[in-house]
Amino acid sequence: MSDQLGLLTQLIELFTSSVSYGERLDNFVHLLARNLNFDLALFFVLEKEKQRLLLNTSSQGPVSPSMLIVFPLGRGLVGQTAQTREHLIAYRDDPEIFPANRPLETIYPDFQTLASFAVADDNFLYGVLLLVDQKRRKLDTATLKLIKLACLMLAGTIRQALRHDETKKRIAELSGLFEIGKAISSTMELDALLERILSTAAKVINARGAILRIIDEQTGLPRVASEYGDVFETSACLLTSKLETAVVSGELPFVTTSLPDLQGHLHSYLGVPLNFKGHLKGMLCVFDKMSEALEFQEFDAENRQLLFTMAGMISSSIENALTFQELEALAEKNERMVRVLTVLQEISWALMTTVRMEKILDIILNALTLESGLAYDRAVVLLVNENRHVLKAVKGVFRKTSPPTLPLREALMVPVEVRAESAMEKLLPRLQIPLQEDKGILARTVLQKKTFHIVQAEQDSRVNQELRQAYDLQEFVSVPLIVKDQVTGVIVVDNQRSKRAIRDNDVQILNMFANQAVLAIENSRLYSTIEANNRELSLIRERMLESDRLAALSGLAQGMAHEIRNPLTSIGGFARRISKKVGKNSPLRHDVEVITQEVERLEKLLREVLDFSGVNLGYYEEHDFNQIIEDALTLIERDLMASNIKIAKDFALLPNVHCDDRQIKQVFYNLFQNARQAMDKGGTLTIRTYPVEKSDGLYAAAAVSDTGGGIPLELLHNIFNPFFTTKEFGTGLGLSIAERIVSRHYGQIEIINELGKGVTFIVTLPIAKYCLIKTAEDQEAQP
Amino acid sequence: MKHILIVDDDERIRLLLSEELTDEGYEVKTAADAMEALKIIEQQEPLDLVVLDIRMPGMTGVELLPRIIGLRENLPVILNTAYTQYKQDFMTWAANAYIVKSSDLSELKQKIKELIE
């Protein structure tokens, strides 16, 4: 009895001690075997699947793998006890017993007595205790009771240990998840986040490494790849291929496998899918689970569960990080765009400061090539010449190599100097491209009103190869300058020296820039047109003012002239009377003659003034135009000869003109006088007559040319104005009277001024038979 | 002896013409305005030609001309004026000649000769 009490005491001590579960089990079987005098005490544990019982602990010592004894449920004494939970005692000589319990021979060949007890509590069976002895033994009730009690205590300990184990695992899992949680909330930066996640996942699962792949939804290609630990080529490949097939098939990938690496070492893998909002985005995989003793281990169900949980946790944070990364990229892009827009605005501002084409071209070229601008290596502006239907290079420039010192706004305004030593800049002025489809890409830019981005000029059939060779073109952009749907020019840029690639975004910016540039060019063109028109208008206004002034002067002069004529008649008349009366040799005679002559001069002036201002009754008849000219010429022939002027005549046979011959004679006389005065050092007076066909009939024309050097431009617009004279002794009425006479004859007087050569006056008068109707009108018009 | 009436408001012109025409051998009468001239013409004195100024105070030569013609239809009238623009007034066409005043009286004398000899 005291033995039993001693055993019980020892058992209680054992089960309340702090030693580990395995040790307790060891001690338990030893205690029983020794105290109950059995050769052997064995503990068989029920597998999780509850189908088989495995030898777990032996009082003989540690259970090696060669001692593996298995009893399926219901088989052998152990199996039966497990099924019925009743204790059984059997002997070897019992023929029903031996075969089923034969496996026991491997560890104890001489067994005679077998006693099995269920180790179970109210709910669960944990295993079976088997006592073995080589003698035939019987157990009394008290001992049986004691053993059952011990088994019950063991069951409690095992339950406790299992709970403890489970709790430990839970805690480990939870702390793993906590680590992951810490990792995912540690950063928004994708790369850092993935690194933290992978290292934490690997550590929590005791794996040597981890791999993560995320695929791009649009392309189906891996987008993000992150690795931790020593990743083998095969494992990365495995994951990628698994992922790709999963995306195609739509199945969620799950990997738990072992693969050899290139050196033949076997590695185990565990991979789970990463799902974002129900879509497969990638995979998380760990490999090479190591025990604390650095032995390779298989991944178990707990690991799987943990990894799945982790995947669920990290996916949303990875999603966030991806979004964050996208946002960051977007922000960066925006920032770049803002910078470009600022540059464009600066350029726009600079372009607004001027309307001078030359300056605008400089600003455009600066904007394209400045480091702080669009920073192309080379830029050329070509403009369309509509009349000749060609595209002509205007100016081109190389990027300045010196670093920019001025702010952009000022740098833009610096004049662009074409350097003679640059082959490109020297060649450029000769570049003219006919606007035809087959004349290369620049002509096409104009004709198709499209921007062309040529990446490989050498292989591009659209590019004119001569042009390519001349300017060493590789990648370049040709942008049309379009205003009001008209292409006015082309901008060409490239990065010939730096070979910097031109992106789509750059082309877009170029187009924006071209829009600004073309407006400035158009403005400049409009401005220069307006300026020219203004000049002309102010000239006309000046002339009109002068005419007004002259008209007023002429009215005044007329009034005065008439007032003067009466006294002049008296003075002159009496002077003549005196001159008749004084003797030929009288000293008074000369004086009187001076009076007479001066009065005559004044009267002549008056006649000119009054004849010019009034309308004379004409004597219109048909006259020979050539004859009138001859008559006028005879009047001045002697003066011409005296001035050493040769006369060249070229008269065509002409029908008669309808005119007042005296007036027309006056016109030509005037023209000849002017010619003579223009050629005071000699020259040639050429007179040519010829018929002219006009829309309203046939005219006779006479061209009177001198070699007097022409009329200075500043005087030209005044020559038909009355009182305008360059001569010291002229009335200034000659040409204005001539003009009035000719226009009264429905003719015209034109002037061709050749500076440095001479002047040609062309007088055209209507041929008689074509102006009958006009004459009738003319007469009606006369009061 | 032919008789010529000179009508002109300018005393010096009247003097010049009368002296010159007297030298030419004509009998010269003068009138300083239209009314005076009309009086002389109405008196039916011997008269072969009138030299008539146009611009005068009161009745102008152009207004006087039709009345002269009305009184003595065949009396030749020469308009002698400082103005050229009256040539456009068709009333002046009724005169036998239109001569613009000049210190050179040869044109006037020539016309007078043509008209009365």
Side-chain angles (χ1 to χ4, degrees):
Chain A
M1 188 65 204
S2 61
D3 280 358
Q4 292 180 354
L5 200 66
L7 175 61
L8 207 57
T9 311
Q10 282 185 46
L11 280 175
I12 288 167
E13 273 171 11
L14 173 64
F15 286 137
T16 49
S17 75
S18 61
V19 297
S20 78
Y21 157 70
E23 229 169 300
R24 283 187 217 177
L25 213 57
D26 255 7
N27 287 341
F28 176 75
V29 286
H30 277 288
L31 269 177
L32 281 189
R34 196 174 65 228
N35 283 295
L36 299 175
N37 265 326
F38 269 88
D39 293 342
L40 204 55
L42 299 170
F43 178 68
F44 287 85
V45 71
L46 183 67
E47 272 186 336
K48 271 211 181 78
E49 290 76 25
K50 301 194 173 165
Q51 292 303 317
R52 299 189 309 170
L53 291 132
L54 264 76
L55 174 62
N56 180 269
T57 319
S58 161
S59 58
Q60 269 182 335
V63 177
S64 68
S66 61
M67 294 158 65
L68 187 69
I69 298 171
V70 179
F71 288 106
L73 207 63
R75 189 159 167 78
L77 213 62
V78 174
Q80 282 171 13
T81 303
Q83 211 163 36
T84 59
R85 299 202 185 178
E86 293 297 329
H87 77 274
L88 291 169
I89 299 171
Y91 305 97
R92 188 182 187 125
D93 44 13
D94 186 341
E96 282 175 32
I97 293 302
F98 181 70
N101 293 301
R102 194 169 186 159
L104 291 171
E105 274 196 324
T106 50
I107 54 164
Y108 204 75
D110 303 329
F111 71 86
Q112 190 61 45
T113 306
L114 294 173
S116 66
F117 301 86
V119 179
D121 58 18
D122 300 345
N123 296 315
F124 295 106
L125 176 83
Y126 300 102
V128 172
L129 175 74
L130 185 68
L131 298 172
V132 185
D133 206 278
Q134 59 179 353
K135 293 178 292 240
R136 194 175 178 90
R137 296 272 301 263
K138 285 210 178 187
L139 291 165
D140 56 28
T141 322
T143 308
L144 278 176
K145 256 188 182 166
L146 181 68
I147 295 173
K148 277 185 189 170
L149 188 65
C151 281
L152 198 62
M153 283 166 77
L154 179 61
T157 299
I158 292 175
R159 187 177 62 211
Q160 221 177 20
L162 283 178
R163 285 267 164 79
H164 179 69
D165 254 19
E166 208 167 302
T167 311
K168 246 170 72 180
K169 264 186 200 156
R170 272 286 136 77
I171 287 169
E173 200 181 304
L174 281 176
S175 67
L177 291 176
F178 173 68
E179 287 302 313
I180 289 283
K182 268 204 312 202
I184 61 181
S185 56
S186 64
T187 177
M188 271 304 257
E189 215 270 301
L190 187 68
D191 289 341
L193 176 74
L194 292 177
E195 210 185 295
R196 288 287 296 273
I197 287 174
L198 288 183
S199 59
T200 312
K203 278 176 197 156
V204 166
I205 293 185
N206 287 328
R208 270 209 326 187
I211 312 167
L212 185 134
R213 290 283 185 279
I214 291 171
I215 43 167
D216 190 284
E217 251 175 318
Q218 263 98 52
T219 60
L221 293 172
R223 173 175 158 187
V224 176
S226 189
E227 279 139 20
Y228 167 79
D230 297 324
V231 176
F232 307 97
E233 195 65 30
T234 42
S235 43
C237 283
L238 165 85
L239 192 66
T240 309
S241 70
K242 192 85 185 171
L243 198 53
E244 275 164 8
T245 49
V247 169
V248 173
S249 67
E251 282 168 29
L252 292 182
F254 172 69
V255 186
T256 169
T257 182
S258 294
L259 286 174
D261 64 13
L262 293 174
Q263 280 80 43
H265 300 297
L266 211 61
H267 299 280
S268 56
Y269 297 93
L270 176 65
V272 294
L274 289 171
N275 290 318
F276 306 148
K277 292 172 189 153
H279 293 283
L280 176 66
K281 280 280 171 69
M283 264 188 99
L284 173 64
C285 181
V286 289
F287 58 89
D288 289 352
K289 186 181 173 186
M290 309 292 281
S291 69
E292 277 169 36
L294 291 180
E295 287 164 338
F296 283 102
Q297 283 182 318
E298 288 286 318
F299 290 106
D300 58 22
E302 273 82 28
N303 298 149
R304 217 177 301 161
Q305 192 53 49
L306 187 58
L307 202 61
F308 266 111
T309 314
M310 280 183 194
M313 278 174 77
I314 64 174
S315 60
S316 66
S317 66
I318 289 178
E319 170 102 90
N320 282 346
L322 281 173
T323 313
F324 180 69
Q325 195 190 37
E326 267 169 35
L327 275 177
E328 253 183 349
L330 209 66
E332 198 183 326
K333 203 175 149 192
N334 270 346
E335 202 182 289
R336 233 186 1 251
M337 208 60 206
V338 166
R339 200 189 76 82
V340 165
L341 284 176
T342 313
V343 168
L344 283 179
Q345 199 218 331
E346 289 283 296
I347 295 167
S348 176
W349 178 88
L351 284 172
M352 299 267 269
T353 58
T354 181
V355 287
R356 280 190 42 228
M357 188 65 119
E358 192 60 27
K359 277 190 100 174
I360 286 172
L361 287 176
D362 283 359
I363 292 169
I364 290 173
L365 292 173
N366 278 333
L368 289 168
T369 55
L370 275 171
E371 197 70 52
S372 48
L374 302 182
Y376 287 95
D377 283 3
R378 298 192 297 182
V380 178
V381 177
L382 303 98
L383 292 178
V384 171
N385 183 328
E386 271 168 26
N387 295 340
R388 291 162 59 200
H389 214 63
V390 293
L391 185 63
K392 200 176 174 313
V394 184
K395 209 166 184 182
V397 72
F398 253 118
R399 174 141 67 127
K400 293 185 184 49
T401 41
S402 56
T405 48
L406 289 169
L408 178 60
R409 199 175 264 218
E410 285 162 46
L412 282 171
M413 310 298 258
V414 175
V416 173
E417 277 159 34
V418 173
R419 284 152 298 182
E421 71 271 16
S422 156
M424 178 195 95
E425 288 167 14
K426 239 186 326 190
L427 269 171
L428 260 185
R430 286 189 234 155
L431 181 58
Q432 275 199 28
I433 301 159
L435 290 177
Q436 290 153 23
E437 280 284 347
D438 58 347
K439 295 296 182 198
I441 201 76
L442 301 188
R444 275 197 206 200
T445 307
V446 175
L447 294 172
Q448 301 183 7
K449 299 174 185 170
K450 256 168 59 183
T451 299
F452 287 94
H453 178 192
I454 304 297
V455 181
Q456 281 283 337
E458 208 163 340
Q459 271 126 56
D460 205 312
S461 62
R462 297 172 296 179
V463 178
N464 182 327
Q465 291 303 312
E466 285 166 40
L467 193 72
R468 182 188 67 75
Q469 279 163 7
Y471 296 99
D472 188 23
L473 290 172
Q474 282 140 20
E475 181 180 17
F476 67 94
V477 183
S478 159
V479 187
L481 295 167
I482 304 175
V483 68
K484 291 180 212 137
D485 208 31
Q486 288 282 314
V487 180
T488 60
V490 173
I491 288 176
V492 183
V493 293
D494 73 353
N495 288 324
Q496 182 231 22
R497 215 177 290 170
S498 67
K499 308 270 184 284
R500 193 159 47 89
I502 301 170
R503 294 164 303 171
D504 284 353
N505 193 33
D506 296 332
V507 177
Q508 248 177 329
I509 290 161
L510 266 179
N511 277 324
M512 284 164 75
F513 168 74
N515 283 341
Q516 288 182 347
V518 73
L519 283 181
I521 291 175
E522 185 66 9
N523 267 349
S524 159
R525 279 190 176 166
L526 288 177
Y527 183 80
S528 63
T529 315
I530 289 172
E531 213 178 30
N533 288 347
N534 254 349
R535 256 202 310 275
E536 205 168 311
L537 273 177
S538 76
L539 210 66
I540 288 171
R541 193 173 138 267
E542 221 170 88
R543 237 194 278 182
M544 279 176 67
L545 275 178
E546 194 143 3
S547 309
D548 278 0
R549 197 162 58 77
L550 290 168
L553 196 65
S554 136
L556 182 71
Q558 236 185 82
M560 269 177 60
H562 283 110
E563 287 311 309
I564 289 166
R565 192 167 253 171
N566 269 336
L568 213 51
T569 306
S570 309
I571 296 166
F574 284 111
R576 276 166 202 272
R577 282 186 66 73
I578 293 167
S579 85
K580 266 189 267 174
K581 281 171 188 162
V582 296
K584 249 189 180 167
N585 300 319
S586 160
L588 280 176
R589 177 148 195 99
H590 174 257
D591 300 358
V592 173
E593 261 169 18
V594 168
I595 298 173
T596 316
Q597 279 164 14
E598 287 305 298
V599 168
E600 250 174 51
R601 213 164 74 92
L602 284 172
E603 284 189 313
K604 188 178 161 221
L605 176 63
L606 277 182
R607 262 200 304 282
E608 281 185 3
V609 169
L610 299 175
D611 287 357
F612 158 59
S613 53
V615 180
N616 289 325
L617 275 182
Y619 297 90
Y620 286 83
E621 271 175 53
E622 288 190 17
H623 291 285
D624 181 348
F625 194 46
N626 291 339
Q627 190 55 52
I628 292 172
I629 294 166
E630 285 282 11
D631 288 351
L633 197 57
T634 24
L635 294 175
I636 202 173
E637 223 160 6
R638 278 179 55 198
D639 292 341
L640 291 174
M641 268 151 68
S643 303
N644 202 13
I645 294 167
K646 277 181 276 181
I647 301 166
K649 286 186 284 190
D650 176 14
F651 287 175
L653 200 62
L654 293 167
N656 284 341
V657 291
H658 186 74
C659 68
D660 179 340
D661 60 332
R662 290 171 308 171
Q663 290 187 18
I664 298 302
K665 224 177 278 177
Q666 175 85 36
V667 168
F668 283 101
Y669 181 75
N670 263 319
L671 294 182
F672 297 154
Q673 278 285 9
N674 283 337
R676 186 179 66 82
Q677 281 152 359
M679 298 186 283
D680 50 359
K681 291 183 182 67
T684 307
L685 176 71
T686 310
I687 309 156
R688 195 165 74 85
T689 64
Y690 51 95
V692 176
E693 180 102 46
K694 293 195 184 175
S695 59
D696 57 347
L698 197 60
Y699 287 73
V704 178
S705 315
D706 64 48
T707 54
I711 302 168
L713 281 181
E714 64 269 24
L715 303 180
L716 193 61
H717 73 271
N718 263 326
I719 60 165
F720 287 111
N721 276 336
F723 302 109
F724 176 79
T725 182
T726 56
K727 301 161 204 160
E728 279 176 59
F729 303 104
T731 58
L733 293 174
L735 274 174
S736 63
I737 292 177
E739 193 201 12
R740 198 159 283 206
I741 290 171
V742 171
S743 66
R744 214 181 278 159
H745 280 81
Y746 301 100
Q748 281 170 329
I749 185 160
E750 293 159 65
I751 179 164
I752 297 169
N753 188 36
E754 287 174 277
L755 273 180
K757 285 186 177 177
V759 182
T760 302
F761 286 96
I762 301 168
V763 177
T764 31
L765 291 177
I767 296 291
K769 55 176 166 182
Y770 292 98
C771 53
L772 287 176
I773 301 163
K774 277 186 184 161
T775 316
E777 281 171 3
D778 178 29
Q779 279 170 352
E780 269 172 39
Q782 295 275 342
Chain B
M1 180 72 73
K2 298 287 184 184
H3 295 267
I4 294 173
L5 173 63
I6 294 162
V7 188
D8 203 311
D9 60 325
D10 189 325
E11 192 195 337
R12 286 164 197 90
I13 297 286
R14 287 203 303 274
L15 181 63
L16 177 66
L17 291 184
S18 61
E19 283 191 2
E20 280 287 311
L21 293 179
T22 307
D23 286 357
E24 292 290 316
Y26 299 112
E27 187 69 42
V28 179
K29 289 177 183 138
T30 60
D33 59 39
M35 297 320 289
E36 204 181 321
L38 273 176
K39 236 179 255 170
I40 293 168
I41 294 162
E42 278 168 356
Q43 279 163 7
Q44 297 291 329
E45 285 176 25
L47 207 50
D48 300 292
L49 187 134
V50 182
V51 176
L52 181 58
D53 186 17
I54 293 178
R55 265 209 196 171
M56 292 181 291
M59 194 184 285
T60 68
V62 179
E63 288 160 343
L64 182 57
L65 183 61
R67 302 186 68 163
I68 294 172
I69 294 165
L71 290 170
R72 309 256 302 257
E73 201 182 336
N74 296 319
L75 183 61
V77 178
I78 294 174
L79 288 170
N80 187 35
T81 172
Y83 297 86
T84 46
Q85 73 261 38
Y86 291 108
K87 279 186 190 176
Q88 294 158 49
D89 185 341
F90 81 105
M91 284 303 294
T92 65
W93 299 358
N96 297 68
Y98 188 113
I99 290 169
V100 178
K101 277 181 188 169
S102 165
S103 62
D104 182 358
L105 298 174
S106 46
E107 193 190 356
L108 180 66
K109 287 172 186 166
Q110 180 64 32
K111 266 284 177 262
I112 293 172
K113 218 173 252 171
E114 277 174 26
L115 288 169
I116 58 176
E117 278 173 16

